[in-house]
Amino acid sequence: VQLQASGGGLVQAGGSLRLSCQDPTQGSGFTLDSHAVAWFRQAPGKEREGIALITGGSGRITYADSVKGRFTISRDLSKNTVYLQMNSLKPEDTAVYYCAARRGVSDYIFRWHSIDTYDYWGQGTQVTVSS
């Protein structure tokens, strides 16, 4: 499994971006109905922060308080792609954004916001929000 995050860029405060996460390799066995996918971000000098999760199976969604109400995680099973719609962006949202995946269909993931919970990681995409 080789996750690929894309869609980052430079945007003004108050603007929007949509990130995508998928595995473009054929035959990897990665499917959204058997893997939970989370988005993390890491700002310079800070720890990597889990911000949104969508579970495999039912697709239960969880957000960190820092993005709740502004960011929306979703998935398209037909495209095997997870999205992160980011609205009302703030300069403090500036970071490298990563997607990560964990095998399983459970709707409850203990410590979903911890980097150790995930089996696979994408390479990251830079999001810069100017004031």
Side-chain angles (χ1 to χ4, degrees):
V1 175
Q2 296 181 3
L3 298 177
Q4 186 174 79
S6 61
L10 173 63
V11 63
Q12 289 188 332
S16 298
L17 282 174
R18 188 178 78 159
L19 306 183
S20 299
C21 175
Q22 61 182 169
D23 176 11
T25 56
Q26 297 295 323
S28 69
F30 174 74
T31 58
L32 295 181
D33 57 2
S34 63
H35 290 76
V37 176
W39 285 98
F40 283 73
R41 66 184 181 185
Q42 188 166 22
K46 294 189 176 181
E47 292 187 352
R48 197 168 294 190
E49 171 193 19
I51 57 173
L53 166 73
I54 187 164
T55 62
S58 72
R60 182 174 179 268
I61 289 172
T62 305
Y63 295 104
D65 289 343
S66 57
V67 304
K68 197 174 294 183
R70 300 187 298 123
F71 291 9
T72 303
I73 189 171
S74 63
R75 65 183 185 178
D76 185 332
L77 295 178
S78 66
K79 296 181 179 179
N80 214 30
T81 301
V82 172
Y83 302 100
L84 185 68
Q85 178 67 42
M86 306 186 295
N87 298 330
S88 303
L89 283 162
K90 306 174 182 179
E92 51 263 44
D93 294 318
T94 295
V96 178
Y97 284 69
Y98 301 87
C99 59
R102 171 189 170 89
R103 293 182 299 270
V105 297
S106 173
D107 277 342
Y108 177 73
I109 297 177
F110 182 63
R111 298 181 74 237
W112 72 268
H113 48 79
S114 172
I115 61 174
D116 296 330
T117 298
Y118 297 89
D119 303 307
Y120 311 108
W121 287 85
Q123 84 288 1
T125 184
Q126 176 71 46
V127 172
T128 303
V129 185
S130 63
S131 57

